[in-house]
Amino acid sequence: MERAMASEYRCVGCGFRVKSLFIQYSPGNIRLMKCGNCKEVADEYIECERMIIFIDLVLHRPKVYRHVLYNEINQETVNIQHLLWKLVFAYLLLDSFLKLLVKDRSLLLRGTNEHSSLVLVTVKVLVDVLSTNLAFLFSFAIAAKVLLHEVSRKREILLGILISSYFKMFLLAMLVWEFPVSVIFIIDMLVLTSNSMALKVMTESTTSRCIAVCLIAHTVRFLVGQIIEPTTFFTQFGSLVYLSSLFRIL
């Protein structure tokens, strides 16, 4: 019995629309379909383990981004609206954790005793997170409209940006192991490049334009964060200089 696929499914190699990804004859017995454009297997990741898919995501391979954004997450199999809200909540939660972590370390580095009001700190963090992410969304939308002429599929592109921000999950490791704050810069750069790859796959635009859109949005987000909490930059910059000096010594 052939599994019906919507026209939104794509060949991971060339991005061509395909009607079906495989034919299932019996449970565990399938035959992968070939793309009508490039004549290659439309999606070889169907038979791959999750770990291989994750490794290829880290390596920023366009094929696996097409697999995840078009073939895994599709309106035929996933409730896009519910998934979008869940990812927004998870993204804001991780961002709040990051702000709290940086704020706590900046206080320790300055040697002050500003732990008096947990409620005040929480309110400041929430204002910071909401303001920076709203600035990111507005700047991203404007940059995408100007540079990519992308005005449709806003929900799908936002979903793709959230999914491609999976590198933020590595921040959870900072709960167990102590890392320099400069690691946050590295993760932010990986998030930026991953966002650019997802945008390129979804819009089929040039790499330079996609990087420019994401760079503008992330820069605006960073600047808004510095207006709200200016000490964050100096703390991270000092930690980055310290890390680079260690590399020179080694």
Side-chain angles (χ1 to χ4, degrees), residues 66-135:
R66 291 192 183 99
H67 167 75
V68 173
L69 298 176
Y70 285 113
N71 300 340
E72 280 289 329
I73 301 175
N74 191 276
Q75 294 180 1
E76 293 291 319
T77 57
V78 177
N79 190 319
I80 302 296
Q81 191 69 28
H82 288 174
L83 179 61
L84 182 60
W85 283 112
K86 289 180 181 178
L87 287 176
V88 167
F89 176 77
Y91 186 91
L92 293 177
L93 186 63
L94 280 175
D95 208 18
S96 300
F97 162 72
L98 169 62
K99 299 295 182 182
L100 284 171
L101 182 65
V102 172
K103 186 174 181 61
D104 183 63
R105 290 196 177 189
S106 66
L107 291 173
L108 292 175
L109 290 174
R110 284 182 292 169
T112 59
N113 297 317
E114 298 182 16
H115 300 281
S116 57
S117 177
L118 179 61
V119 175
L120 181 59
V121 171
T122 303
V123 171
K124 287 183 178 180
V125 168
L126 290 177
V127 171
D128 189 0
V129 169
L130 292 177
S131 300
T132 53
N133 283 286
L134 284 175

Side-chain angles (χ1 to χ4, degrees), residues 16 19 26-27 29 40 56 68 80 96 128 138-139 150 159 171 173 191 196 218 229 241 246:
F16 192 75
K19 294 182 179 180
S26 61
N29 183 17
E40 299 291 335
D56 280 0
V68 173
I80 302 296
S96 300
D128 189 0
F138 279 116
S139 57
E150 184 64 51
L159 183 62
L171 293 173
V191 171
S196 302
H218 280 272
E229 186 64 41
V241 172
L246 287 180

Side-chain angles (χ1 to χ4, degrees), residues 20 31 44 49 54 56 98 107 126 138 151 156 166 182 199 205 212 219 221 225 235:
S20 60
R31 178 169 68 88
E44 64 267 25
E49 298 290 338
F54 180 74
D56 280 0
L98 169 62
L107 291 173
L126 290 177
F138 279 116
V151 294
E156 288 77 8
Y166 59 87
S182 55
L199 189 61
S205 183
T219 301
R221 181 178 182 272
T235 302

Side-chain angles (χ1 to χ4, degrees), residues 97-98 101-102 105-106 109 170-171 173-188 232 234-247:
F97 162 72
L98 169 62
L101 182 65
V102 172
R105 290 196 177 189
S106 66
L109 290 174
F170 289 104
L171 293 173
M174 301 181 79
L175 288 171
V176 182
W177 297 286
E178 184 176 354
F179 293 98
V181 185
S182 55
V183 172
I184 297 173
F185 269 135
I186 299 174
I187 293 178
D188 284 342
T232 301
F234 298 106
T235 302
Q236 294 181 357
F237 181 75
S239 181
L240 187 63
V241 172
Y242 174 72
L243 184 63
S244 62
S245 64
L246 287 180
F247 278 114

